[in-house]
Amino acid sequence: MSSQLRIRRLKQKLAETSGRLRSLEGRHLNRRRPSPAPAAAPPDTPKALLELLARDLDPPHRHALLAREEQLRHQALAYFQTSKVDPKLWKDLASS
């Protein structure tokens, strides 16, 4: 197998794995969110509706994002170390 073909396959596996990680993270976040207001009881004023929407659109805190990124990085490294991924790839990730 040529090295270019091997690199292309490894990049494809890496892209698939990172896509799966994003998908799992989204599922996890959806499970952690509080239940939305019941459909039978919508906000009674436009102001209440706007406040509800604003809360949903608030970005997460920087500290929470950094902690989540670090957690995902460690999970990815653990996966790469136990799978048959080229050691140079995950060592480069670990050193970055």
Side-chain angles (χ1 to χ4, degrees), residues 42-58:
D44 47 347
T45 64
K47 183 178 179 181
L49 177 61
L50 288 175
E51 288 173 358
L52 180 65
L53 290 173
R55 258 187 275 133
D56 286 346
L57 295 175
D58 280 343

Side-chain angles (χ1 to χ4, degrees), residues 38-94:
D44 47 347
T45 64
K47 183 178 179 181
L49 177 61
L50 288 175
E51 288 173 358
L52 180 65
L53 290 173
R55 258 187 275 133
D56 286 346
L57 295 175
D58 280 343
H61 294 288
R62 179 171 166 70
H63 178 70
L65 285 175
L66 292 175
R68 184 68 177 152
E69 182 180 330
E70 187 66 21
Q71 179 186 17
L72 289 173
R73 186 172 161 275
H74 285 294
Q75 288 174 348
L77 284 173
Y79 172 78
F80 292 147
Q81 289 172 354
T82 59
S83 66
K84 295 182 179 182
V85 175
D86 185 7
K88 182 170 176 14
L89 287 176
W90 62 261
K91 286 180 181 177
D92 288 345
L93 179 64

Side-chain angles (χ1 to χ4, degrees), residues 7-19:
I7 290 173
R8 192 173 343 135
R9 285 185 181 169
L10 288 173
K11 284 182 179 180
Q12 181 181 5
K13 282 183 181 182
L14 183 61
E16 290 170 1
T17 302
S18 62

Side-chain angles (χ1 to χ4, degrees), residues 18-57:
S18 62
R20 178 130 171 86
L21 280 173
R22 282 192 304 273
S23 174
L24 291 173
E25 181 182 14
R27 286 182 188 172
H28 175 70
L29 289 175
N30 285 336
R31 287 186 185 143
R32 288 184 44 209
R33 285 189 183 153
S35 300
D44 47 347
T45 64
K47 183 178 179 181
L49 177 61
L50 288 175
E51 288 173 358
L52 180 65
L53 290 173
R55 258 187 275 133
D56 286 346
L57 295 175

